[in-house]
Amino acid sequence: MYEFAINTSAPKAELYRELVQSADALTAGESDGVANMANVAALLWQSLPDVNWAGFYRMVERELVLGPFQGKAACIRIALGAGVCGTAAATGKTQLVEDVHAFPGHIACDAASASELVVPVKRDGNVIAVIDLDSPSPSRFDTDDAAGIEALAEILSERI
Ligand code: SME
């Protein structure tokens, strides 16, 4: 059993510091990428308030394919450049979307989602996966969330 005492009501900088430390401890020394993504998805789900989907899409033969996640069953394949995830994967840049309904081509996997944060995970400069967070609240994510999830992506670069 793993017990991580992450203070979910702490200021964001502290919350993400604890989350990244916990993810580091959980994945260190484990070479199985699926196991690591599954545990990190669970950690994100238990640590971040007001989130209705948290998980991974993996780059498989120039297409995003659903990976381990928490939340409702979701679309399985996303073309590069399509939706928020496909845009993050195609550009290699974090996508911070305050209102998903205003994002051209947004893919609605859960009708409850109102805002979204997608961060690419890179290895040797190439996108190998994206971390996707959805919230039912508009403007749920800000640049502090983006920085926190980017730090997480950095840790995971060689572990998924
Ligand atoms: N909304 C995403 C699709 C993935 S789900 O949110 C889990 C998108 O537009 O890429």
Side-chain angles (χ1 to χ4, degrees), residues 40-49 51-54 70-72 133:
V40 170
L43 194 63
L44 289 166
W45 186 252
Q46 86 175 58
S47 311
L48 297 177
V51 162
N52 63 324
W53 203 92
Q70 303 268 313
K72 285 191 179 168
L133 297 175

Side-chain angles (χ1 to χ4, degrees), residues 53 57 74 78 83-85 106-107 109 116 132 134:
W53 203 92
Y57 279 88
I78 298 177
V84 187
C85 291
H106 164 254
I107 300 162
C109 288
E116 186 161 357
D132 183 16
D134 285 28

Side-chain angles (χ1 to χ4, degrees), residues 4 6-20 40-55 70 117 119 131-136 140-142 144-150 152:
F4 293 105
I6 295 176
N7 178 1
T8 58
S9 49
K12 281 187 185 177
E14 189 182 328
L15 168 61
Y16 281 106
R17 200 164 40 245
E18 291 180 9
L19 194 153
V20 170
V40 170
L43 194 63
L44 289 166
W45 186 252
Q46 86 175 58
S47 311
L48 297 177
D50 199 21
V51 162
N52 63 324
W53 203 92
Q70 303 268 313
L117 172 63
V119 173
I131 301 171
D132 183 16
L133 297 175
D134 285 28
S135 170
R140 156 67 179 81
F141 305 105
D142 60 19
D144 289 340
D145 295 285
I149 300 300
E150 284 166 356
L152 176 65

